Amino acid sequence: MDPKCQCLELNNGHFVPVLGFGTYAPEEVPKSEALEVTKFAIDVGFRHIDCAHLYQNEEQVGQAIRSKIADGTVKREDIFYTSKLWSTFLRPELVQPALEKSLKNLQLDYVDLYIIHLPTALKPGEELFPKDENGKMIFDTVDLCRTWEALEKCKDAGLAKSIGVSNFNRKQLEKILNKPGLKYKPVCNQVECHPYLNQSKLLDFCKSNDIVLVAYGALGSQRLKDWVNPSYPVLLEDPVLCAIAKKHKQTAALIALRYQMQRGVVVLAKSYNKKRIKENMQVLNFELTPEDMKAIDGLNSNHC
């Protein structure tokens, strides 16, 4: 990894940059935007790029990474790239072909991290969200321990440097950790995590097992009408966060990102706005006091 990069060591000796660039965008955003903003993110200093098969933009994100390697901005080993195994590919025999498909789209030889996107299996096939004639999701029955063994094989084959999970609770993590014949522990668990949902118990559990917590939704939930109660407060308008931001002459968003870093959490900053992408890099340039951290801890209400 780039020596200038602030990183955390994973339980397998690899390093992950503490600040990542999230590439998810709603359907209405043209795919070409992913190419432009990922190139820009690398130009301003992001070295950790988080993507997924589900986002349907790995081709563009891969193109951005390759163009920045070609123009000499970075070497491949400077970039930490994460992809995710989607729920329709959790059957063990589908895992490696799914990763190979991502690598083909990316035009890369390996990913730095491959993670199970959700601990929920969906019916295999072309549809990302398979539904029956009544519009109900069609689930599949898969033992995640077998899925994990298939991920271990991907690591052994050199297709992924590290393997991990996402959206797992403690019980689901324990199932993998306690699996007889476990070859590699998950290096991380990527979950929604922000001051209103600070995941402190899960964070403690992960730390005690040498698993890094990776935070998505670090600036509060995307306020999608079907998912989030519109009466819930908006994180970035929180008076406590805003007062701390004013004190440090930073934005509330930067305070929310910095909070995660100082807890030993890897944080993903997702934005398709170039001004904000550049601004998010400032999170590496200041520190919160123990009093600030305590005040932000006090905002936790265990909801999105």
Side-chain angles (χ1 to χ4, degrees), residues 119-151:
T120 311
L122 295 172
K123 180 187 165 225
E126 290 304 302
E127 292 287 315
L128 289 171
F129 295 99
K131 293 188 174 103
D132 64 18
E133 61 276 12
N134 302 313
K136 288 251 183 357
M137 208 74 82
I138 309 171
F139 294 97
D140 195 21
T141 309
V142 177
D143 179 352
L144 290 173
C145 287
R146 304 290 81 81
T147 308
W148 186 253
E149 287 164 2
L151 260 82

Side-chain angles (χ1 to χ4, degrees), residues 57 64 104 133 211 215 228 231 277 280 304:
N57 60 5
K104 188 168 180 247
E133 61 276 12
I211 294 168
V228 176
S231 68
I277 292 169
N280 287 339
C304 301

Side-chain angles (χ1 to χ4, degrees), residues 8 18 191-207 211-218 255-267 287-290 292-294 296-300 302:
L8 275 182
V18 290
V191 296
E192 182 179 350
C193 185
H194 50 75
Y196 287 166
L197 179 70
N198 73 17
Q199 303 279 16
S200 56
K201 283 185 179 164
L202 187 59
L203 175 59
D204 288 345
F205 176 75
C206 286
K207 281 184 175 176
I211 294 168
V212 168
L213 197 80
V214 180
Y216 70 79
I255 302 301
L257 295 174
R258 184 72 205 180
Y259 168 69
Q260 299 295 1
M261 281 187 186
Q262 288 187 216
R263 304 166 81 210
V265 170
V266 168
V267 65
E287 260 187 57
L288 298 171
T289 66
D292 294 334
M293 292 296 289
K294 202 171 172 206
I296 301 168
D297 277 340
L299 298 177
N300 185 50
N302 285 324

Side-chain angles (χ1 to χ4, degrees), residues 67 75 78 109 113 119 150 173 220 242 255 268 277 299:
S67 84
K75 297 187 182 79
D78 296 331
D109 297 328
L113 177 59
L173 272 171
C242 291
I255 302 301
L268 302 176
I277 292 169
L299 298 177

